[in-house]
């Protein structure tokens, strides 16, 4: 897919997801370049139709964008309870709706928001569809900063390769003040089980494996169309 085609596909997925939002809903806002497009379109729709939606963003970047667009945040934010839906991107999606997330480092807040939402709508372009998680993208694991190399040692007993995420020559720090370990696995046959094993390790805060959370996937295509898959 060309870069232009990819952009069109992301806009198309964002457009398709807009059909799931209604006036008055409580909406979780994802993070990343595809989710950013959805937030843009949602802001426009709320302005044009005078809609009132209550939003919970999954990162500081998305919070800043939502505020810029005049979208209302939950008055208890950063606390919140239930949401009607969340619309978020993904790094990979398999045929059962399992996801790899965390490319943007927002996986912890993304998981809170997805878990609180009645329906998770995933927006991706075609390239994100995989047979098995971990085949095109490493599994991000959020770990506490304290004794991080200790935690990486434990992760190395499960993964083929583990790398502390950096931005330039600085360690990448999440919105929660944690680090990210990007883990390579040769073959992931049971994503939910791998998530459980990783979560059991001391120092692991959350994993980028999202199992059983996605209810709908809107896939954008390079020609500007989108298709829907339900789980
Ligand atoms: C951020 C995420 C993103 O949703 C994921 O990385 C996809 O991003 P993009 O839409 O830019 O490809 O999980 O933590």
């Amino acid at each position: 897919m060309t870069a232009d085609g990819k952009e069109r596909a992301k806009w198309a997925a964002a457009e398709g997801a807009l059909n799931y939002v209604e006036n008055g809903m409580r909406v979780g806002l994802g993070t990343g370049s595809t989710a950013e497009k959805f937030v843009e379109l949602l802001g426009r729709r709320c302005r044009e139709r005078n809609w009132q939606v209550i939003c919970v963003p999954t990162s500081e970047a998305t919070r800043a964008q939502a505020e810029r667009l005049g979208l209302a945040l939950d008055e208890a934010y950063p606390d919140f309870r239930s949401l009607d839906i969340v619309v978020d991107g993904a790094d990979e999606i398999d045929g059962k709706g399992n996801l790899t997330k965390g490319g943007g480092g927002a996986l912890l807040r993304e998981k809170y928001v997805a878990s609180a939402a009645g329906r998770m709508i995933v927006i991706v372009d075609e390239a994100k569809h995989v047979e098995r998680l971990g085949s095109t993208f490493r599994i991000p694991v959020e770990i506490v900063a304290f004794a991080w190399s200790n935690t990486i040692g434990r992760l190395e007993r499960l993964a083929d390769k583990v790398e502390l995420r950096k931005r330039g020559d600085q360690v990448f720090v999440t919105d929660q003040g944690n680090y990210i370990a990007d883990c390579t696995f040769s073959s992931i046959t049971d994503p939910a089980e791998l998530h459980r094993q990783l979560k059991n390790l001391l120092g692991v805060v959350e994993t980028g494996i999202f199992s059983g959370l996605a209810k709908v996937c809107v896939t954008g295509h390079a020609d500007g169309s989108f298709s829907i898959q339900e789980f």
Side-chain angles (χ1 to χ4, degrees), residues 31-34 88-91 101-107 110 128:
T31 294
S33 58
T34 320
D88 201 351
D91 299 300
K101 285 188 52 56
L107 66 97
E110 288 172 337
K128 303 285 183 68

Side-chain angles (χ1 to χ4, degrees), residues 6 10 30-36 88-92 100-107 110 123-125 128 137 165 210:
K6 209 172 175 66
K10 288 179 184 186
T31 294
S33 58
T34 320
E36 188 183 18
D88 201 351
D91 299 300
E92 293 183 321
T100 306
K101 285 188 52 56
L107 66 97
E110 288 172 337
I123 47 176
V124 293
D125 60 74
K128 303 285 183 68
F137 206 85
R165 188 177 295 184
F210 285 48

